Amino acid sequence: MGLREVVIHAWSWLNYKPVYSGTHHADGTGMPNRRAFPEANAMWVPEEDQKRLAAYKLLAAYDQNQAFELAEAAGDLHAREKREFGDPSMFIDTVMSHVLGREQTITVQGAETDAEKPTAEAQMAARIQEQLRDWAEDEQLPMRIQQCERKSVSLGDGVYRLAWDPSRMRPTVRVHDPGFYFPVLPEDGDAGDYPTRVHFAWELPADPRRGIKARLRRITYELDWIRPATASGVDSKGRAVRAQLPAGEPDPEQPDAEVPPPLTPGDVYYPATGAIARQYPWNDTPSYITCYLTDATWVLEDIKGTPDVDSLPLETATFATRGDGEVLDHLDLLIDFVPVVHVPNTVPPAEEHWGQSSLAKVLQVFDELASSDTDSAKASATTGSPLIALWGKAAGSSMDVHEVTPGLMVKLGEGGGMNALDTSRNLAELRNHIHDLEDRAAKIARLPAVALGTLDPSKAPSGYAMDVSLGPLDALIASMRLARDHKYALLLKFTQRLFIAGQHPDWVGITPMPAKLAFGSYKPTDKQGQLTLVSEGVEKGVLSLETGLKMLMEAGFPIDDAAEEIERIQSRQFDKARQLADATGDTQLVGDFLGMKVSEPDPAPVPQLPPTAGDQTGTAGDLEDARQGSRGNTP
């Protein structure tokens, strides 16, 4: 009967859209519409990536209020009548802002210590943390993070690419559209594993005015065995390529010994196995692996057959040349990792590589919203300019009125009348339906009204009730941040290794340490209430000053350094300093509390008491004089 098999995959939630599912094959799979998604149907795109690329374009169209154009390309004749008011874009921006929090901070474990004499490890951690933060500021990392996270939230995936820039003497970070990202995933392993070969590929359009044909560019990173040293050269066709350096001279003392191949300085050749080893500064043992970079371009009409992005023939490619003259044809980068970080929006399912867009579960609701907005716009048109029925003729005239304008008066004869079609009730019902759909979308996306900013603050029952309403959002953000924690730790680890590989003078003698990117709080806070809570807690002794300052920092107070703020606060607490002095009598401890030097008071003079009657050191005359003096002149 030709029944269609149901296929569930990472993007099957889009199968309800005819423009995406397309014509189904006998195996139950459908290919995206060629007119709407020509890029996904390009000759060099692997079949397993076609649905992914089409999904990216469809999601981007929703983000840009252009979904109607793709529907029109699929044959919807009324697609241009639909209204799109930016609801998907608002959802994307809201989710992204909550995932990132108010600020992003690079932290290295052990860098923050209150010890007077920190250990060597703590000093190293503090040094790495400071240099990573300086690098993030120079590289505008917060802006790069927002660029990548918006793609990750809207499309389901984001990609960073790192490279060492000799002119700037620092690693650079670039964000790529996931539609250009083609990892070679293992067929018999876990697709969630880190790929050993990654392609970035895209087409370059033709330019007839300059005589440039349509081309395909592919940048490839690949982990492979360390090979003999190469240098830039030119082949017989005049192409810039890399060629192996000539072998060294044989040892005159051992003429029969094998001549070692040309080696990169520092490499070690093992004749017994033919392997080449290299000691990287961040590894304890030698490695036999390195990363090769290739930047190749093909003229599309020169590609014969049907090769995909991973099997394009290098014989017909043209290789790019770097600024320092190195040809990017399997260039040895002298690192043992692929400097690419893929950031999924959600925790991928087991044995999967790709994340899921935050719009995935609510996309059909957005379609309903667009249809309701369209109907509401039509109803509002008939409400503002209602249909009017007029019967009877003007006295002494045969005037037939077809349009009613303000100020127009029509005098009708006997038996004439007028009636207007009232559609305001329909408009009110449509608006109520739109509000219901918005609430439905918020529930499915786990974005309560307080998170969307649509809650009237005056109607909030209490701060506790608002915090409880954020429960679904807390679970959502926790899961999304879990998918990102390891990825940003990987990015910071690659950054440290690139600094060391680039021999930056400030990184000499540094051993890479685990670093994390900490996301700030995303919850709305009552600053006045939080300040009152902290003040009472610290005053009554149930909260330490350190904990109180941490709570204020999470509430958004402009406190840059907690340790400095504590010193400033204590330097003005003279009443507590006096109490400390009375309790301990230690002026040095009081000085440490106030952060100043407190001088010791001068010792009190020894009292000089007058001699008494029992004092035998004086003469009898002296005693008599003393008595007379004490009585004065009294007779």
Side-chain angles (χ1 to χ4, degrees), residues 404-425:
V404 178
T405 59
L408 177 67
M409 185 187 71
V410 179
K411 185 176 180 181
L412 303 177
E414 184 178 356
M418 183 186 73
N419 205 348
L421 179 63
D422 184 10
T423 60
S424 58
R425 294 182 179 180

Side-chain angles (χ1 to χ4, degrees), residues 365-407:
V365 182
F366 286 140
D367 285 342
E368 292 292 333
L369 270 172
S371 298
S372 298
D373 287 335
T374 303
D375 295 340
S376 178
K378 293 179 179 179
S380 62
T382 58
T383 301
S385 300
L387 176 64
I388 296 177
L390 184 69
W391 60 91
K393 293 185 178 180
S397 173
S398 60
M399 181 178 63
D400 191 5
V401 180
H402 293 282
E403 181 179 359
V404 178
T405 59

Side-chain angles (χ1 to χ4, degrees), residues 194 222-224 226 278-292 332-339 494 497-498 501:
Y194 198 81
E222 180 180 10
L223 293 179
D224 204 349
I226 298 176
R278 180 179 299 161
Q279 181 63 59
Y280 294 102
W282 47 83
N283 290 341
D284 296 331
T285 58
S287 174
Y288 299 91
I289 300 296
T290 189
C291 182
Y292 293 98
D332 189 348
L333 295 180
L334 304 177
I335 55 178
D336 61 345
F337 58 90
V338 175
F494 288 171
R497 291 184 175 184
L498 288 174

Side-chain angles (χ1 to χ4, degrees), residues 200-405:
F200 291 93
W202 63 94
E203 290 188 10
L204 301 172
D207 189 350
R209 292 185 297 177
R210 296 194 299 168
I212 299 177
K213 300 179 180 180
R215 294 154 294 155
L216 169 64
R217 185 179 178 185
R218 188 191 73 181
I219 299 175
T220 301
Y221 293 91
E222 180 180 10
L223 293 179
D224 204 349
W225 303 109
I226 298 176
R227 301 171 189 156
T230 60
S232 301
V234 180
D235 66 358
S236 59
K237 300 179 182 179
R239 297 185 308 160
V241 295
R242 298 197 70 81
Q244 181 175 322
L245 294 173
E249 297 294 334
D251 189 352
E253 297 180 359
Q254 298 178 351
D256 297 334
E258 180 182 357
V259 178
L263 300 176
T264 302
D267 291 355
V268 178
Y269 175 68
Y270 295 96
T273 59
I276 301 175
R278 180 179 299 161
Q279 181 63 59
Y280 294 102
W282 47 83
N283 290 341
D284 296 331
T285 58
S287 174
Y288 299 91
I289 300 296
T290 189
C291 182
Y292 293 98
L293 170 63
T294 302
D295 188 347
T297 304
W298 289 263
V299 177
L300 284 177
E301 64 182 28
D302 292 343
I303 301 177
K304 307 301 181 184
T306 56
D308 62 15
V309 68
D310 191 46
S311 59
L312 292 168
L314 293 178
E315 295 79 12
T316 58
T318 301
F319 300 103
T321 302
R322 205 167 60 180
D324 57 359
E326 294 288 352
V327 178
L328 303 182
D329 171 21
H330 292 87
L331 174 66
D332 189 348
L333 295 180
L334 304 177
I335 55 178
D336 61 345
F337 58 90
V338 175
V340 175
V341 180
H342 165 241
V343 182
N345 183 49
T346 57
V347 176
E351 300 183 355
E352 290 290 340
H353 185 78
W354 308 103
Q356 189 178 76
S357 169
S358 294
L359 299 179
K361 299 296 190 295
V362 293
L363 206 61
Q364 293 194 47
V365 182
F366 286 140
D367 285 342
E368 292 292 333
L369 270 172
S371 298
S372 298
D373 287 335
T374 303
D375 295 340
S376 178
K378 293 179 179 179
S380 62
T382 58
T383 301
S385 300
L387 176 64
I388 296 177
L390 184 69
W391 60 91
K393 293 185 178 180
S397 173
S398 60
M399 181 178 63
D400 191 5
V401 180
H402 293 282
E403 181 179 359
V404 178
T405 59

Side-chain angles (χ1 to χ4, degrees), residues 568-617:
R568 294 171 186 165
I569 293 173
Q570 290 181 345
S571 66
R572 296 169 175 85
Q573 292 183 335
F574 300 109
D575 291 338
K576 291 188 177 181
R578 188 181 300 110
Q579 295 174 9
L580 180 63
D582 294 340
T584 63
D586 190 342
T587 55
Q588 183 177 356
L589 185 60
V590 173
D592 294 339
F593 177 81
L594 293 175
M596 63 180 65
K597 184 178 180 181
V598 179
S599 59
E600 293 282 351
D602 296 333
V606 178
Q608 299 293 328
L609 299 177
T612 61
D615 191 353
Q616 301 300 323
T617 57

